[in-house]
Amino acid sequence: FMSIATKAQLKPVNSGVYKWAEHPVTKNGDRESRKILEGTSTHLEYFSIHATTQFPGAKPSTAHANDDIEECIIIKEGLMKVTVEGKSTVLGFGGVILLMPKQMHSVQNVGDSNLTYYVLRYRSKKKMDLERGQTGGGTLMLNVNSLAFKPSARGGMRAYFDRPTTMCERFEMHTTLLNVKGPSHNPHSHVETEIVLALSGKTEMTIDGKEYSGTTGDFYFIESPLMHGVRNASNEPCSYFIMIWK
């Protein structure tokens, strides 16, 4: 089992944009990685995001389990075989794994192009609740084509989950598509921390009165309870993940 000593010297994650093009790349044989952010937040004593790329033919990641860390994995490109507690699923672009602690898992590139995926790792400030995580649905492996798309006047959305987890009283995740320039809704605030991950197109975001812009692969981090609003920056479609938790 893997655990992380994280209580010393970690600083709060700053609200703002974290751009894909600015993350240093570390290469190691048949894969490379990018560290995106690491720190604390209102609800989490540890929170990090990194991205891994496995090249075609790369060896699977070493099977392991996290002792006291929950993970959310999002596929940016390629084809992934994920195995959790002996059960395997193949996921493509937009696929998501919500991984409870103490679950043995590994991932492998089973396509003929690069497999790139984001890994969100987090530990709550409150005591983790394994029973709550299992009652809420346990570990999830979701392919985007298994989820219904709900159209709207400005585009549409696709719901992934809205549930309690081992580390979160509530964790909600969906994608939004905007086909026209402008916001999806009015600026707002809430007790949950929020992350927006740009999937395509050009986006803009206001966070606590400051303006940011992002494109594919960029993360916006919005700490609780700052006023914020995301919008399409052009007349071409854009899409993005929304993740909120408390």
Side-chain angles (χ1 to χ4, degrees), residues 20-36 50-55 115-117:
W20 176 262
E22 297 176 359
H23 306 312
V25 179
T26 301
K27 295 187 177 182
N28 183 15
D30 57 9
R31 63 199 67 212
E32 62 185 28
S33 63
R34 292 169 171 83
K35 181 178 178 180
I36 298 172
H50 71 268
T52 295
T53 297
Q54 292 186 9
F55 304 137
L115 166 66
T116 302
Y117 51 96

mmCIF file of all heavy atoms in Angstrom, residues 20-36 50-55 115-117:
data_model
loop_
_atom_site.group_PDB
_atom_site.id
_atom_site.type_symbol
_atom_site.label_atom_id
_atom_site.label_comp_id
_atom_site.label_asym_id
_atom_site.label_seq_id
_atom_site.Cartn_x
_atom_site.Cartn_y
_atom_site.Cartn_z
ATOM 1 N N TRP A 20 -1.272 23.792 -19.504
ATOM 2 C CA TRP A 20 -0.625 22.560 -19.952
ATOM 3 C C TRP A 20 0.753 22.835 -20.539
ATOM 4 O O TRP A 20 1.714 22.120 -20.252
ATOM 5 C CB TRP A 20 -1.510 21.868 -20.983
ATOM 6 C CG TRP A 20 -0.909 20.640 -21.583
ATOM 7 C CD1 TRP A 20 -0.256 20.536 -22.776
ATOM 8 C CD2 TRP A 20 -0.899 19.329 -21.004
ATOM 9 N NE1 TRP A 20 0.153 19.242 -22.983
ATOM 10 C CE2 TRP A 20 -0.226 18.477 -21.914
ATOM 11 C CE3 TRP A 20 -1.394 18.790 -19.831
ATOM 12 C CZ2 TRP A 20 -0.043 17.125 -21.668
ATOM 13 C CZ3 TRP A 20 -1.216 17.435 -19.582
ATOM 14 C CH2 TRP A 20 -0.541 16.626 -20.493
ATOM 15 N N ALA A 21 0.875 23.869 -21.346
ATOM 16 C CA ALA A 21 2.127 24.146 -22.052
ATOM 17 C C ALA A 21 3.248 24.581 -21.118
ATOM 18 O O ALA A 21 4.419 24.562 -21.505
ATOM 19 C CB ALA A 21 1.894 25.221 -23.106
ATOM 20 N N GLU A 22 2.915 24.947 -19.883
ATOM 21 C CA GLU A 22 3.918 25.465 -18.961
ATOM 22 C C GLU A 22 4.427 24.439 -17.964
ATOM 23 O O GLU A 22 5.324 24.745 -17.164
ATOM 24 C CB GLU A 22 3.350 26.674 -18.219
ATOM 25 C CG GLU A 22 3.010 27.838 -19.148
ATOM 26 C CD GLU A 22 2.356 29.006 -18.429
ATOM 27 O OE1 GLU A 22 2.147 28.906 -17.193
ATOM 28 O OE2 GLU A 22 2.045 30.010 -19.097
ATOM 29 N N HIS A 23 3.892 23.222 -17.969
ATOM 30 C CA HIS A 23 4.318 22.212 -17.001
ATOM 31 C C HIS A 23 5.585 21.519 -17.499
ATOM 32 O O HIS A 23 5.612 20.985 -18.616
ATOM 33 C CB HIS A 23 3.225 21.173 -16.771
ATOM 34 C CG HIS A 23 1.899 21.762 -16.391
ATOM 35 N ND1 HIS A 23 1.767 22.712 -15.413
ATOM 36 C CD2 HIS A 23 0.650 21.537 -16.873
ATOM 37 C CE1 HIS A 23 0.489 23.050 -15.299
ATOM 38 N NE2 HIS A 23 -0.199 22.353 -16.180
ATOM 39 N N PRO A 24 6.652 21.501 -16.694
ATOM 40 C CA PRO A 24 7.871 20.797 -17.108
ATOM 41 C C PRO A 24 7.600 19.314 -17.336
ATOM 42 O O PRO A 24 6.793 18.698 -16.632
ATOM 43 C CB PRO A 24 8.817 21.006 -15.918
ATOM 44 C CG PRO A 24 8.278 22.205 -15.202
ATOM 45 C CD PRO A 24 6.795 22.160 -15.390
ATOM 46 N N VAL A 25 8.283 18.745 -18.333
ATOM 47 C CA VAL A 25 8.111 17.340 -18.695
ATOM 48 C C VAL A 25 9.298 16.528 -18.186
ATOM 49 O O VAL A 25 10.449 16.877 -18.431
ATOM 50 C CB VAL A 25 7.977 17.172 -20.221
ATOM 51 C CG1 VAL A 25 7.834 15.697 -20.592
ATOM 52 C CG2 VAL A 25 6.788 17.983 -20.737
ATOM 53 N N THR A 26 9.000 15.447 -17.467
ATOM 54 C CA THR A 26 10.027 14.517 -17.000
ATOM 55 C C THR A 26 9.872 13.212 -17.767
ATOM 56 O O THR A 26 8.810 12.567 -17.681
ATOM 57 C CB THR A 26 9.904 14.252 -15.493
ATOM 58 O OG1 THR A 26 10.034 15.487 -14.786
ATOM 59 C CG2 THR A 26 10.990 13.290 -15.020
ATOM 60 N N LYS A 27 10.915 12.821 -18.522
ATOM 61 C CA LYS A 27 10.847 11.594 -19.315
ATOM 62 C C LYS A 27 11.558 10.461 -18.593
ATOM 63 O O LYS A 27 12.598 10.650 -17.972
ATOM 64 C CB LYS A 27 11.471 11.825 -20.688
ATOM 65 C CG LYS A 27 10.703 12.837 -21.539
ATOM 66 C CD LYS A 27 11.244 12.924 -22.958
ATOM 67 C CE LYS A 27 10.412 13.883 -23.789
ATOM 68 N NZ LYS A 27 10.879 13.972 -25.198
ATOM 69 N N ASN A 28 10.965 9.269 -18.681
ATOM 70 C CA ASN A 28 11.520 8.093 -18.019
ATOM 71 C C ASN A 28 11.214 6.853 -18.853
ATOM 72 O O ASN A 28 10.170 6.229 -18.699
ATOM 73 C CB ASN A 28 10.951 7.947 -16.609
ATOM 74 C CG ASN A 28 11.555 6.779 -15.850
ATOM 75 O OD1 ASN A 28 12.580 6.226 -16.245
ATOM 76 N ND2 ASN A 28 10.926 6.395 -14.749
ATOM 77 N N GLY A 29 12.110 6.533 -19.786
ATOM 78 C CA GLY A 29 11.940 5.329 -20.599
ATOM 79 C C GLY A 29 10.736 5.403 -21.501
ATOM 80 O O GLY A 29 10.672 6.221 -22.427
ATOM 81 N N ASP A 30 9.748 4.561 -21.228
ATOM 82 C CA ASP A 30 8.582 4.443 -22.101
ATOM 83 C C ASP A 30 7.414 5.338 -21.681
ATOM 84 O O ASP A 30 6.285 5.125 -22.092
ATOM 85 C CB ASP A 30 8.118 2.980 -22.171
ATOM 86 C CG ASP A 30 7.796 2.379 -20.807
ATOM 87 O OD1 ASP A 30 7.765 3.141 -19.809
ATOM 88 O OD2 ASP A 30 7.609 1.155 -20.728
ATOM 89 N N ARG A 31 7.722 6.373 -20.865
ATOM 90 C CA ARG A 31 6.653 7.282 -20.429
ATOM 91 C C ARG A 31 7.226 8.630 -20.026
ATOM 92 O O ARG A 31 8.442 8.800 -19.906
ATOM 93 C CB ARG A 31 5.866 6.675 -19.272
ATOM 94 C CG ARG A 31 6.665 6.434 -17.987
ATOM 95 C CD ARG A 31 5.943 5.441 -17.095
ATOM 96 N NE ARG A 31 5.930 4.126 -17.712
ATOM 97 C CZ ARG A 31 4.948 3.226 -17.578
ATOM 98 N NH1 ARG A 31 3.877 3.514 -16.860
ATOM 99 N NH2 ARG A 31 5.026 2.049 -18.156
ATOM 100 N N GLU A 32 6.337 9.608 -19.831
ATOM 101 C CA GLU A 32 6.736 10.921 -19.347
ATOM 102 C C GLU A 32 5.643 11.453 -18.434
ATOM 103 O O GLU A 32 4.497 10.983 -18.461
ATOM 104 C CB GLU A 32 6.989 11.891 -20.508
ATOM 105 C CG GLU A 32 5.784 12.167 -21.367
ATOM 106 C CD GLU A 32 6.120 13.039 -22.582
ATOM 107 O OE1 GLU A 32 7.280 12.992 -23.039
ATOM 108 O OE2 GLU A 32 5.212 13.744 -23.075
ATOM 109 N N SER A 33 5.999 12.431 -17.610
ATOM 110 C CA SER A 33 5.040 12.956 -16.645
ATOM 111 C C SER A 33 5.146 14.470 -16.554
ATOM 112 O O SER A 33 6.169 15.069 -16.896
ATOM 113 C CB SER A 33 5.268 12.330 -15.260
ATOM 114 O OG SER A 33 6.552 12.671 -14.772
ATOM 115 N N ARG A 34 4.064 15.087 -16.085
ATOM 116 C CA ARG A 34 3.987 16.523 -15.851
ATOM 117 C C ARG A 34 3.363 16.761 -14.483
ATOM 118 O O ARG A 34 2.248 16.305 -14.224
ATOM 119 C CB ARG A 34 3.124 17.207 -16.924
ATOM 120 C CG ARG A 34 3.703 17.217 -18.321
ATOM 121 C CD ARG A 34 2.653 17.659 -19.322
ATOM 122 N NE ARG A 34 3.190 17.893 -20.653
ATOM 123 C CZ ARG A 34 3.406 16.942 -21.557
ATOM 124 N NH1 ARG A 34 3.130 15.667 -21.257
ATOM 125 N NH2 ARG A 34 3.894 17.237 -22.752
ATOM 126 N N LYS A 35 4.046 17.476 -13.615
ATOM 127 C CA LYS A 35 3.479 17.885 -12.334
ATOM 128 C C LYS A 35 2.713 19.173 -12.540
ATOM 129 O O LYS A 35 3.263 20.168 -13.024
ATOM 130 C CB LYS A 35 4.584 18.074 -11.295
ATOM 131 C CG LYS A 35 4.066 18.470 -9.924
ATOM 132 C CD LYS A 35 5.199 18.599 -8.924
ATOM 133 C CE LYS A 35 4.677 19.044 -7.562
ATOM 134 N NZ LYS A 35 5.775 19.171 -6.564
ATOM 135 N N ILE A 36 1.437 19.190 -12.182
ATOM 136 C CA ILE A 36 0.577 20.339 -12.452
ATOM 137 C C ILE A 36 0.386 21.197 -11.209
ATOM 138 O O ILE A 36 0.579 22.404 -11.248
ATOM 139 C CB ILE A 36 -0.759 19.870 -13.040
ATOM 140 C CG1 ILE A 36 -0.506 19.154 -14.388
ATOM 141 C CG2 ILE A 36 -1.740 21.035 -13.213
ATOM 142 C CD1 ILE A 36 -1.716 18.470 -14.976
ATOM 143 N N HIS A 50 -1.266 15.495 -11.465
ATOM 144 C CA HIS A 50 -0.179 15.291 -12.414
ATOM 145 C C HIS A 50 -0.737 14.608 -13.646
ATOM 146 O O HIS A 50 -1.865 14.093 -13.630
ATOM 147 C CB HIS A 50 0.971 14.469 -11.804
ATOM 148 C CG HIS A 50 0.661 13.024 -11.587
ATOM 149 N ND1 HIS A 50 0.153 12.523 -10.399
ATOM 150 C CD2 HIS A 50 0.777 11.948 -12.410
ATOM 151 C CE1 HIS A 50 -0.018 11.224 -10.487
ATOM 152 N NE2 HIS A 50 0.342 10.838 -11.707
ATOM 153 N N ALA A 51 0.028 14.642 -14.712
ATOM 154 C CA ALA A 51 -0.353 13.962 -15.950
ATOM 155 C C ALA A 51 0.741 12.984 -16.322
ATOM 156 O O ALA A 51 1.934 13.285 -16.172
ATOM 157 C CB ALA A 51 -0.578 14.962 -17.080
ATOM 158 N N THR A 52 0.343 11.818 -16.799
ATOM 159 C CA THR A 52 1.274 10.796 -17.260
ATOM 160 C C THR A 52 0.965 10.456 -18.712
ATOM 161 O O THR A 52 -0.211 10.350 -19.092
ATOM 162 C CB THR A 52 1.174 9.523 -16.418
ATOM 163 O OG1 THR A 52 1.599 9.803 -15.081
ATOM 164 C CG2 THR A 52 2.048 8.397 -16.981
ATOM 165 N N THR A 53 1.999 10.306 -19.513
ATOM 166 C CA THR A 53 1.873 9.788 -20.877
ATOM 167 C C THR A 53 2.633 8.482 -20.970
ATOM 168 O O THR A 53 3.819 8.424 -20.665
ATOM 169 C CB THR A 53 2.437 10.786 -21.905
ATOM 170 O OG1 THR A 53 1.668 11.994 -21.877
ATOM 171 C CG2 THR A 53 2.382 10.196 -23.313
ATOM 172 N N GLN A 54 1.922 7.419 -21.354
ATOM 173 C CA GLN A 54 2.557 6.133 -21.670
ATOM 174 C C GLN A 54 2.652 6.040 -23.188
ATOM 175 O O GLN A 54 1.649 6.166 -23.888
ATOM 176 C CB GLN A 54 1.747 4.958 -21.121
ATOM 177 C CG GLN A 54 1.707 4.843 -19.614
ATOM 178 C CD GLN A 54 1.011 3.572 -19.146
ATOM 179 O OE1 GLN A 54 0.700 2.676 -19.944
ATOM 180 N NE2 GLN A 54 0.736 3.480 -17.863
ATOM 181 N N PHE A 55 3.860 5.795 -23.694
ATOM 182 C CA PHE A 55 4.047 5.665 -25.126
ATOM 183 C C PHE A 55 3.520 4.304 -25.595
ATOM 184 O O PHE A 55 3.324 3.384 -24.787
ATOM 185 C CB PHE A 55 5.519 5.820 -25.481
ATOM 186 C CG PHE A 55 6.133 7.112 -24.995
ATOM 187 C CD1 PHE A 55 7.389 7.126 -24.419
ATOM 188 C CD2 PHE A 55 5.438 8.308 -25.116
ATOM 189 C CE1 PHE A 55 7.954 8.310 -23.973
ATOM 190 C CE2 PHE A 55 5.987 9.501 -24.679
ATOM 191 C CZ PHE A 55 7.245 9.499 -24.103
ATOM 192 N N LEU A 115 -0.943 7.285 -24.752
ATOM 193 C CA LEU A 115 -1.999 7.341 -23.740
ATOM 194 C C LEU A 115 -1.602 8.414 -22.735
ATOM 195 O O LEU A 115 -0.560 8.310 -22.084
ATOM 196 C CB LEU A 115 -2.153 6.000 -23.030
ATOM 197 C CG LEU A 115 -2.979 6.016 -21.740
ATOM 198 C CD1 LEU A 115 -4.441 6.340 -22.033
ATOM 199 C CD2 LEU A 115 -2.859 4.685 -20.987
ATOM 200 N N THR A 116 -2.414 9.457 -22.618
ATOM 201 C CA THR A 116 -2.159 10.517 -21.648
ATOM 202 C C THR A 116 -3.360 10.643 -20.730
ATOM 203 O O THR A 116 -4.507 10.655 -21.179
ATOM 204 C CB THR A 116 -1.901 11.863 -22.350
ATOM 205 O OG1 THR A 116 -0.781 11.729 -23.238
ATOM 206 C CG2 THR A 116 -1.600 12.957 -21.337
ATOM 207 N N TYR A 117 -3.087 10.742 -19.442
ATOM 208 C CA TYR A 117 -4.172 10.833 -18.472
ATOM 209 C C TYR A 117 -3.767 11.717 -17.301
ATOM 210 O O TYR A 117 -2.600 11.812 -16.926
ATOM 211 C CB TYR A 117 -4.598 9.451 -17.970
ATOM 212 C CG TYR A 117 -3.473 8.564 -17.477
ATOM 213 C CD1 TYR A 117 -3.156 8.497 -16.119
ATOM 214 C CD2 TYR A 117 -2.732 7.794 -18.363
ATOM 215 C CE1 TYR A 117 -2.123 7.686 -15.669
ATOM 216 C CE2 TYR A 117 -1.709 6.978 -17.924
ATOM 217 C CZ TYR A 117 -1.410 6.938 -16.577
ATOM 218 O OH TYR A 117 -0.382 6.135 -16.134
#
